[in-house]
Amino acid sequence: MRFSFAKTLTFVIYSFLLTATLFSAAKSSYTAAELKEKALKEDSVQEGIAFIQEHLEKCASSADKRSALHFLGTLQEQLGVYSEASRSYAKAAAIAATDASGMEKVSSEQLVLDAVRCSLNSGDWESANSYLNSAVRSSSDKNVLALVN
């Protein structure tokens, strides 16, 4: 009887430690800077993109999600996946938040222009025109208007 009690107790302790280890390893939220850092450590750009896409919903704040989407769009654009990059930029522009700490500062208007550029590169002029007809055409920023007109 003692042997089975010790065996059972050992199994329970082992199970508890294993469960605790697994739950502590799974991060509940990421900042955009952490996502960027981990994505850059992946073996390839495609794996970095997949990592960000997999963990995007675990962003700590709206600002982190916006900045992570911008970084994702940048990677996709550099890889030549323009239609996906355009969607990433447009999603980022739709989030009303500031820029995340430790990430590149970019305005919503610039994100829309990034989406336009990628739409045009992918041959999707209808989406590009739709993005331009957003608030970007009526921007008060002279630099943005110079790019649009």
Side-chain angles (χ1 to χ4, degrees), residues 86 115-133 137:
S86 176
V116 168
R117 182 183 60 249
C118 288
S119 291
L120 290 172
N121 282 333
S122 70
D124 185 3
W125 64 269
E126 289 107 350
S127 292
N129 191 45
S130 173
Y131 293 145
L132 279 176
N133 286 330
R137 282 202 197 272

Side-chain angles (χ1 to χ4, degrees), residues 87-106:
R87 284 191 293 275
S88 294
Y89 288 138
K91 285 179 187 177
I95 297 173
T98 59
D99 297 301
S101 176
M103 297 297 286
E104 181 181 351
K105 307 298 181 205
V106 61

Side-chain angles (χ1 to χ4, degrees), residues 1-13:
M1 186 74 178
R2 256 183 116 173
F3 177 74
S4 67
F5 176 75
K7 195 174 185 180
T8 303
L9 182 61
T10 303
F11 175 77
V12 169
I13 291 172

Side-chain angles (χ1 to χ4, degrees), residues 55-69:
H55 295 92
L56 195 57
E57 295 306 317
K58 294 181 181 180
C59 283
S61 67
S62 296
D64 287 308
K65 186 171 184 179
R66 180 181 185 271
S67 292
L69 280 164

Side-chain angles (χ1 to χ4, degrees), residues 42-60:
E42 294 292 326
D43 291 333
S44 68
V45 176
Q46 292 89 343
E47 289 176 10
I49 288 172
F51 180 83
I52 294 172
Q53 289 172 330
E54 181 181 334
H55 295 92
L56 195 57
E57 295 306 317
K58 294 181 181 180
C59 283

